[in-house]
Amino acid sequence: MRATPRPRSVLIAAVAGLAALLLGACAQVVPGTAVPDPAGSAPPGLEAFYGQQLTWGPCAPLAATDEDRQIYADPALQCARMQVPLDYAAPHGRTAAIAVLRHAAPASPERIGSLVINPGGPGASGIQTAAYLSSSLASTDVGRRFDIVGFDPRGVGASEPAIRCLNGPERDADRRDDDTDPSPAGVASTEGEERQVVDLCAQRSGLDVLANVGTRDVAKDMDVLRAVLGDPRLTYLGYSYGTRIGSTYAEEFPRNVRAMILDGALDPDQDPTAELVDQGRGFQGAFDAFARNCTTRPNCPLGQDPAQTTRAYQDLTRPLIARPLPLPDGRVMSYGDAQQGTINALYVEAYWPRLTRALSDLRAGNGTGLMTLADEYYERNPDGSYASSQDAFEAIRCVDDPRITDPAQSLARAEAYNQAAPFLDSGRGVSGARDSCAFWPVPPTSQPHVPQVPGLAPPLVVSTTGDPATPYQAGVELARALNGSLLTKIGDEHTAVFQNSTCVDDIATRYLIDNTPAPPGATCPAT
């Protein structure tokens, strides 16, 4: 299966499959436990969900990695499971259990409410991000005024039922596979593999789950969460794909929004093909910035001529198509792994030294560095298992966006992406193989459009000029669509809020606490 770079947040750390969950995925809301919805806004038939009381307890049972176990052991963190309808059109049927984590603000008259966070993906864990972010926010004005709350969207991470498509060995095999062959036989082979993945997703996840994991349903879950947290209106921070959750929520529940920061925006009205091509252009720009920096240093693996760095990168990686590189752990690094490892390092400038070392090692015949970067991107665990993020990414993407089922249109899209990101060009010509969404077994539940948001409190949109995954102009368009203020961050990284920019954080903090918008033309310098 051909991997697609997902517009994730750089706050994401590795996530593993979770065990010892607090409630079963099919548990029902217990009668008699409802409390009045603070906004009095429960839609008909959903009163029990809006009125449920969460039972908070330790987060340790949700930890699946050593790193998670360390941070989840913090006694200041509390976790619970929230019940929502799997299908909102059938609220008395099967339910889903949404994992929720909070770091409570000190009891004080200054406490405002909850700050709900989503890190993007789609497929990234919100509880993990909230746990990590709360440790740095606890001593700030935001941490003193807000409970920091994260949730794993339906199908993702610790929420149940989880989206599952490929197991560890199958994902490893998928990564080894060569999908660059543009011949009719190569296209047929790639599409056959895509169909197999779709069949496994349907068998292991269930059609009812796949039909109800889109952003449309996540936004409804977030309003239930607002209510059970006791907040009359929602305060939200969404990164990357989390901006789509935010804009969808804003359209569905405009009068339930108190404040909303949308950082690393997706343009809600953009055609998915144009979005993908713009992302390719963004990654090329990030690669060029990395390469320019590299060429100023001795022994740059791409040489010292900035005009030749794309060609130098191709010369390093293209031989992997025919000869994947054996690794000490018995695996091999494929051409696709080299690309994904590189893309992972381009999300954040702090990873550039790692990428330089990895490319230098590749030139010397050692692929361990790039493979480690690729493993981090795919969230592969030391035992060979994988987090569900890649499975969730495919499932959510395939119900959120219109599908490309026409082979000619698929070929045109691939050609446009190749032109936008030539450093990723395999040199073999373009494959027009359709991706898994062309064969997805349930229909889309959303489509691109300009949100209609009467009565919405103006959001704060943050967009970075050289963002490799979500281009700057998408933030401009989202701010315009939602009548929000725009904060421009100068830089080459993906997302900016609470990521070491005092300028950005000061504006974000003022907005969250007292709804002060960014001044017209507000711009923060590179960090």
Side-chain angles (χ1 to χ4, degrees):
M1 183 171 62
R2 295 169 298 156
T4 302
R6 59 184 186 272
R8 59 176 177 78
S9 168
V10 297
L11 292 171
I12 300 169
V15 183
L18 302 173
L21 299 178
L22 302 177
L23 289 171
C26 296
Q28 301 294 320
V29 176
V30 178
T33 62
V35 296
D37 169 39
S41 57
L46 299 177
E47 292 85 357
F49 295 100
Y50 273 69
Q52 67 186 290
Q53 293 178 317
L54 298 183
T55 301
W56 297 99
C59 295
L62 277 65
T65 67
D66 291 341
E67 192 174 9
D68 284 347
R69 273 183 277 277
Q70 290 179 0
I71 195 165
Y72 287 1
D74 183 350
L77 299 177
Q78 300 173 306
C79 287
R81 302 299 297 279
M82 180 183 75
Q83 301 299 307
V84 295
L86 182 62
D87 180 355
Y88 275 91
H92 300 296
R94 187 182 179 189
T95 64
I98 306 301
V100 184
L101 177 147
R102 76 174 177 187
H103 182 285
S108 165
E110 294 185 334
R111 180 186 176 276
I112 295 172
S114 305
L115 173 60
V116 177
I117 297 169
N118 181 274
S125 170
I127 66 169
Q128 185 192 58
T129 300
Y132 280 82
L133 196 56
S134 66
S135 64
S136 62
L137 291 178
S139 61
T140 69
D141 287 342
V142 171
R144 286 188 288 266
R145 307 291 291 274
F146 293 95
D147 296 349
I148 307 302
V149 177
F151 70 102
D152 284 355
R154 52 175 56 212
V156 171
S159 291
E160 291 189 331
I163 301 166
R164 285 293 179 187
C165 299
L166 300 183
N167 61 31
E170 290 164 346
R171 180 66 66 187
D172 282 344
D174 182 68
R175 288 172 57 181
R176 288 194 302 268
D177 188 63
D178 172 28
D179 291 326
T180 65
D181 183 357
S183 70
V187 170
S189 175
T190 297
E191 290 191 349
E193 293 159 6
E194 299 285 352
R195 292 178 186 273
Q196 290 175 5
V197 171
V198 171
D199 289 344
L200 289 172
C201 287
Q203 294 168 19
R204 294 172 179 173
S205 301
L207 292 179
D208 57 343
V209 172
L210 296 183
N212 293 287
V213 295
T215 306
R216 172 201 66 176
D217 299 288
V218 176
K220 295 179 187 295
D221 296 343
M222 200 156 68
D223 199 54
V224 176
L225 178 61
R226 171 200 59 76
V228 302
L229 290 172
D231 291 341
R233 293 189 295 162
L234 175 74
T235 303
Y236 176 72
L237 168 58
Y239 295 97
S240 198
Y241 159 78
T243 67
R244 177 164 290 173
I245 297 175
S247 63
T248 302
Y249 182 92
E251 182 169 40
E252 182 74 14
F253 306 101
R255 299 186 184 278
N256 289 358
V257 174
R258 175 190 167 274
M260 183 174 283
I261 297 180
L262 304 175
D263 181 10
L266 302 182
D267 181 347
D269 192 37
Q270 189 173 35
D271 173 83
T273 293
E275 180 182 297
L276 180 66
V277 173
D278 279 351
Q279 188 185 75
R281 194 173 292 113
F283 279 116
Q284 183 67 46
F287 174 82
D288 291 341
F290 156 74
R292 283 193 302 271
N293 177 272
C294 181
T295 59
T296 65
R297 303 172 186 275
N299 302 315
C300 171
L302 302 178
Q304 261 62 55
D305 183 354
Q308 296 299 318
T309 52
T310 288
R311 178 60 182 272
Y313 177 81
Q314 293 170 343
D315 289 344
L316 277 175
T317 56
R318 284 177 175 178
L320 295 168
I321 297 173
R323 296 183 302 278
L325 188 61
L327 300 173
D329 64 1
R331 293 187 293 158
V332 296
M333 185 180 71
S334 68
Y335 175 69
D337 284 325
Q339 289 189 320
Q340 293 302 138
T342 301
I343 286 169
N344 189 32
L346 295 178
Y347 274 96
V348 54
E349 189 173 339
Y351 275 22
W352 288 4
R354 287 185 64 189
L355 181 56
T356 299
R357 291 193 298 270
L359 292 175
S360 295
D361 289 345
L362 177 60
R363 189 171 60 178
N366 179 357
T368 301
L370 268 183
M371 193 66 162
T372 300
L373 284 164
D375 285 345
E376 291 173 5
Y377 182 92
Y378 287 112
E379 298 187 55
R380 186 182 193 271
N381 301 312
D383 64 0
S385 64
Y386 285 79
S388 63
S389 56
Q390 193 69 24
D391 294 339
F393 169 73
E394 288 295 318
I396 297 167
R397 182 174 68 92
C398 290
V399 295
D400 265 9
D401 293 333
R403 282 135 194 213
I404 294 180
T405 57
D406 179 2
Q409 189 177 357
S410 180
L411 179 62
R413 178 177 65 167
E415 290 173 338
Y417 189 86
N418 234 30
Q419 292 171 6
F423 82 107
L424 298 175
D425 183 355
S426 70
R428 303 185 69 187
V430 173
S431 170
R434 293 166 292 178
D435 65 11
S436 59
C437 294
F439 313 109
W440 209 247
V442 295
T445 56
S446 300
Q447 62 180 359
H449 66 283
V450 177
Q452 302 301 309
V453 290
L456 176 69
L460 170 63
V461 178
V462 183
S463 199
T464 301
T465 54
D467 190 319
T470 53
Y472 174 77
Q473 187 62 30
V476 175
E477 298 301 330
L478 183 61
R480 181 181 296 120
L482 299 181
N483 299 313
S485 61
L486 175 68
L487 171 58
T488 296
K489 169 66 167 62
I490 305 298
D492 296 310
E493 298 183 341
H494 182 46
T495 72
V497 175
F498 302 135
Q499 294 176 53
N500 301 316
S501 170
T502 301
C503 173
V504 171
D505 294 351
D506 285 349
I507 293 173
T509 297
R510 287 196 299 272
Y511 171 78
L512 289 173
I513 291 175
D514 57 24
N515 294 101
T516 301
T523 301
C524 287
T527 50

